[in-house]
Amino acid sequence: MPASMLLPTRRPRLLFLSTSAELIDAQLRGQTLTLTQAAPLRDDISTDEITPVPIMTHFDEALGRYPYTGFQVEGLRPIAVDAIKTAGFNVLVAGKRYGKGSSREHSPMAEKSAGIQLVIAESFERIYRQNADNIGLYTSTDMGLIEGLLRGESISVDEIIEGRDELAASIVRAGGLLAFGEAHLKAAASDPHDGGAAPDGPPRTLFEKIVRRHSLHTPVTPDEPQAGDGIFVHADWRFIHEYYTGMAAHMLHARFGRPLSLVNPEQIVVFEDHTSYVDESPNHIRAGTVADVRAMCQAQRDFVRDYRLRLHRTLTEAEAAKGPAPDAAGISHAMMAEHYVLPGQVAVGTDSHTPHSGALGCLAFGVGTTDMANAFVTGAVRLTMPASLRVELSGALPAGVTAKDVVLHILALPEIRAGAGIGKVFEFCGEVIERFSIDERATLTNMTAELGGLTGIVAPDQETVRFLRERRGVDFKLEPWMHSDPDACYADRLHIDCSGLAPMVAAPGDPGNGLPLSSVEDRPRIDIAYGGSCTAGKREDFDHYHEVLSWAVERGLRVPAGVTLYLQYGTTAVRDYCLEKGYDRTFAAVGARILQPSCGACANCGPGSSTEDGQVTVSAINRNFPGRSGPGQVWLASPPTVAASALAGKLLSFEEIKKRCTA
């Protein structure tokens, strides 16, 4: 590892991601700015903006043409293909919560391949920064480095890693995770120690107990980790989907050759869950990447074939028309909860919404491609020990208020918007949680990704036992340790009286833009209504859609002309449930289009995405970052509000549309 980060013969070129499109353009044309001149900087830059979905069909140096091509400021996308390479930037500067959203490692890989060596931001989202460490892209939250860089001074690696935990520093010094893992993890992965059952330790959270039962000893990680320490854990389940498998295979074969020796391949599950409707994806059609998507899927299928891995493949419309096909397909993390993960286990996946399964009382969190590649060959998964937030939900939910409304309310809290949840474990509890089904609990744990957390978790109880027995045929017995101790330590506690909540929406641009729907005075017209995704494609979500739409059928109402309602199942099991209940006939009667299981419009990968800037969507998905689900504006809402808005042609709750029809 060289002593300095930048070559002393090359003067650093800094790109400040300002809130001014004019200043971005000036920098691209060669003007050098100071931090003061560039301020204020853009906050909340998502990985969708750094590398939009069509770019993810690349998994090599070609990514270097595309960083920031989805970046939006003042309604413009000022950074074109090849602009970063052409301008010669090697340092990027941004504001708070840089790299939020998707776990895609394509973002730091694109930056590094374009010549960016260092990203400085006021704060980073956990997965983005970990991905950057893993591939050797430097990151820092020390804004004081900027002045020296502008003077042409070199920066030492020690300055870059100052304040980082020992494991992160060791990985950065090693040049990335695969090099570190090859040197330190092969022996560690085979010897997990069971520390979760120790009766004489301090009070612990459920999360901490699970970690102790799965932690691995290495020379550079502590055996008694505290918040902020880096460690490795053994994962009971590892899963990956088509946007990441090709990149993982490419980097593993490049480093270790063929064939690979995978650790416990029977615990690896592979999904084809994003690309079911690629032929109808305006995003990929417009970008000319349909053929690239097919090649990406074939690369995954080749990897599955070569290493005899378990694959859940996309259903074609023709296959779906043949009738029930249990367990065949679905969104990866929803499938993990329906078929694989158990309370007390550890599951990791290459998706930021992996915490979905935390509703079962397990530790489930998202990782990037290099983390998963390393886990394939070592069995070890990197984890920075987080602090926990205890979120107590009390009171009785009013009629028409769902778990989605609860989480949109939490996202809008000032302390959460200020970053209080970044990297933390959200432990959900209270009388509302006790009454929630697993499906509703999963809405909360799923969207800890938007809250900025590592994961969400709910202690398993009799509802968990019921779910496992009725949905999966598993006779699970709760173990005495599967709860947080009464005196466990939390970084903070949030108490929310849910009896005062109302249907919520999040205004376009960020899931944190939440507000009660009743406070939106100028209700926007709706072009598209979308119900689906991992967050809102579960059984109980479809119960909500059906409740609203069957009410409409009874009154002769349909989705009006000019509005398209899409309903997309999260898994095949959800589809079969709806067919058995006859929901499909109701959906057809109101004019909804039914889509087979897939991530779909949520990831801008199918019908339900907008195609024009002026279109307005109301959606039950989990995030509405700029460009996330097409070029139009996306309002987030609960399943009942999505269905009601589709019928009304504008943003409206179920209670409001009922009042209108009885007035």
Side-chain angles (χ1 to χ4, degrees), residues 80-145:
V81 174
D82 290 322
I84 302 303
K85 272 190 172 182
T86 300
F89 293 111
N90 47 26
V91 179
L92 187 285
V93 184
K96 300 180 181 68
R97 294 191 71 177
Y98 184 78
K100 68 190 300 185
S102 165
S103 62
R104 64 190 70 167
E105 193 165 308
H106 303 69
S107 293
M109 183 68 78
E111 292 169 308
K112 185 179 180 184
S113 298
I116 299 295
Q117 296 174 274
L118 170 64
V119 178
I120 302 174
E122 293 178 55
S123 64
F124 291 96
E125 290 289 292
R126 176 193 64 86
I127 296 180
Y128 170 86
R129 196 174 199 189
Q130 189 160 306
N131 286 341
D133 292 345
N134 290 343
I135 64 169
L137 174 65
Y138 296 109
T139 62
S140 177
T141 56
D142 184 358
M143 306 299 280
L145 297 176

Side-chain angles (χ1 to χ4, degrees), residues 448-647:
T448 54
E450 283 64 48
L451 291 165
L454 167 77
T455 192
I457 194 167
V458 177
D461 57 10
Q462 290 306 310
E463 166 60 18
T464 316
V465 172
R466 182 202 64 79
F467 176 91
L468 293 172
R469 182 181 63 252
E470 295 181 5
R471 298 277 190 97
R472 292 171 50 176
V474 174
D475 185 16
F476 187 83
K477 291 181 172 54
L478 297 175
E479 298 182 31
W481 64 269
M482 292 180 170
H483 61 86
S484 291
D485 295 328
D487 296 324
C489 182
Y490 296 91
D492 204 352
R493 297 170 185 259
L494 297 178
H495 178 265
I496 298 170
D497 181 359
C498 294
S499 62
L501 298 184
M504 295 282 295
V505 292
D510 194 279
N513 294 338
L515 67 166
L517 177 54
S518 60
S519 70
V520 181
E521 295 183 3
D522 186 13
R523 302 294 178 90
R525 61 169 181 77
I526 298 299
D527 300 293
I528 300 168
Y530 178 85
S533 80
C534 56
T535 307
K538 307 180 295 298
R539 280 194 190 187
E540 192 155 331
D541 300 313
F542 273 83
D543 289 340
H544 288 308
Y545 301 131
H546 182 262
E547 180 186 3
V548 177
L549 298 176
S550 62
W551 173 89
V553 169
E554 290 171 0
R555 289 156 180 79
L557 301 176
R558 287 177 55 87
V559 175
V563 178
T564 305
L565 169 61
Y566 298 92
L567 296 175
Q568 187 159 27
Y569 305 118
T571 68
T572 310
V574 174
R575 184 199 71 169
D576 294 346
Y577 167 79
C578 291
L579 292 175
E580 181 182 340
K581 302 276 281 187
Y583 288 179
D584 56 314
R585 295 190 293 273
T586 300
F587 300 153
V590 298
R593 181 180 175 187
I594 303 301
L595 300 170
Q596 295 305 311
S598 176
C599 291
C602 179
N604 209 358
C605 292
S609 301
S610 61
T611 57
E612 300 173 10
D613 289 348
Q615 289 180 313
V616 178
T617 299
V618 59
S619 182
I621 64 176
N622 38 54
R623 52 181 59 145
N624 57 348
F625 302 133
R628 170 72 183 183
S629 193
Q633 301 294 301
V634 178
W635 289 77
L636 299 183
S638 69
T641 298
V642 167
S645 299
L647 295 169

